[in-house]
Amino acid sequence: MSPLETVTYETDGAVATVKLNRPEALNSFNTQLGKDLLAAMQMAAADSSIRAVVFGGHGRVFSAGADLKAGINGGERVRQILKELYGPALLAIAEMDKPVISAVQGSASGIGLSFALTADLVLMADNAFFLSPFATIGLVPDGGLAWILPLEIGYHRAYQLAIEAERVPAERCVSLGLANRTVPEAMLHDEAHKWAQSLAERAPLALALTKRAMRRAASLTFAEMINYEADLQAQCIDSQDCREGVTAFLTKRKPQFTGR
């Protein structure tokens, strides 16, 4: 694979860190960034030694959204980019079996907000904010944002946030359920890495199947979810990690999970 041009990819033990790397353009998305991010997330998903992923950005902000300076290039081109490039990159985050933590400094706007919220866990710098600016330039939310926001905060608040392009500060993001917690900006990436390391010590299969279940919850009835959970639980019960977890609990020691 050719080197990534606009994204950095690093590993530290069982943790992979993927960072958007166009700080001079506030990590705004162009075609190359979309390609590199998809490649990086696919690398993390395919690497059996990686158990958790930190997703961040270099520079002052997580991402300012789409790179408008690159031009919109017409509706058909935008449709193609969203369906064939950004869509697969978003799904790579949502569908990988490993937990992904987005670490947001400065701001996450537009398609950058979509990517931040697609992660499984969201850590924000205490002076950061979220922004859905689409309506101010005559556009609709994209990158799955019109699905994520109503699901997370309800239709009325989601619609208002989208059409009024409200800046939502970090603490309010936590209270609304859009973020898990905030930390001082200087501690953001260290805290995200520590969180990922702690997740990497947990049973990988349990984390993966919990993610699958919760990602499917919106499309299943309650009865269907009970049955789906039963199928997933059967996989967990038969795993070596479950036996290790039970043995460690009974003998009062820390479990050593292997992902089997």
Side-chain angles (χ1 to χ4, degrees):
M1 184 184 130
S2 60
L4 302 174
E5 297 178 22
T6 59
V7 169
T8 60
Y9 182 90
E10 299 177 347
T11 61
D12 179 13
V15 176
T17 299
V18 176
K19 285 189 176 182
L20 308 177
N21 192 28
R22 296 187 72 218
E24 74 289 347
L26 301 180
N27 293 326
S28 56
F29 275 78
N30 61 8
T31 300
Q32 188 62 49
L33 181 56
K35 290 179 179 178
D36 287 345
L37 183 57
L38 173 58
M41 289 300 175
Q42 289 175 333
M43 287 169 58
D47 188 341
S48 60
S49 70
I50 296 302
R51 296 190 182 180
V53 179
V54 174
F55 177 29
H58 292 280
R60 294 191 293 118
V61 304
F62 177 83
S63 173
D67 188 353
L68 297 180
K69 292 181 180 179
I72 295 179
N73 298 321
E76 192 53 44
R77 176 58 177 157
V78 169
R79 189 203 314 269
Q80 181 184 23
I81 290 172
L82 287 169
K83 288 186 175 183
E84 299 179 10
L85 186 59
Y86 297 165
L90 289 158
L91 289 174
I93 296 169
E95 295 179 352
M96 77 164 73
D97 279 341
K98 299 151 189 185
V100 179
I101 302 170
S102 61
V104 179
Q105 80 275 20
S107 64
S109 303
I111 191 69
L113 176 57
S114 301
F115 274 98
L117 291 179
T118 298
D120 305 293
L121 299 164
V122 180
L123 185 66
M124 295 182 72
D126 55 10
N127 59 354
F129 64 88
F130 285 161
L131 175 67
S132 175
F134 297 95
T136 61
I137 54 173
L139 298 174
V140 299
D142 59 26
L145 196 59
W147 184 87
I148 295 171
L149 286 178
L151 186 68
E152 296 288 343
I153 64 176
Y155 170 79
H156 295 106
R157 283 184 293 191
Y159 187 67
Q160 179 182 355
L161 186 154
I163 64 171
E164 293 185 349
E166 174 188 357
R167 290 191 176 197
V168 187
E171 285 295 341
R172 185 158 182 251
C173 288
V174 173
S175 66
L176 288 173
L178 293 173
N180 294 88
R181 56 191 175 95
T182 69
V183 295
E185 183 178 19
M187 299 170 58
L188 177 68
H189 294 290
D190 285 343
E191 288 298 311
H193 191 270
K194 289 178 184 176
W195 198 359
Q197 285 181 316
S198 73
L199 296 179
E201 295 176 358
R202 300 177 184 273
L205 183 62
L207 268 60
L209 297 189
T210 299
K211 178 172 178 173
R212 287 189 206 174
M214 292 191 173
R215 291 281 180 175
R216 288 196 62 185
S219 63
L220 297 180
T221 67
F222 184 50
E224 288 170 338
M225 179 53 74
I226 290 172
N227 290 332
Y228 185 53
E229 288 170 342
D231 293 337
L232 298 180
Q233 197 70 298
Q235 294 182 52
C236 289
I237 288 290
D238 290 337
S239 70
Q240 291 181 23
D241 277 351
C242 180
R243 291 192 288 274
E244 166 64 11
V246 171
T247 300
F249 175 79
L250 293 175
T251 57
K252 296 181 171 56
R253 63 171 173 80
K254 185 176 180 179
Q256 299 296 319
F257 295 117
T258 61
R260 295 192 295 272

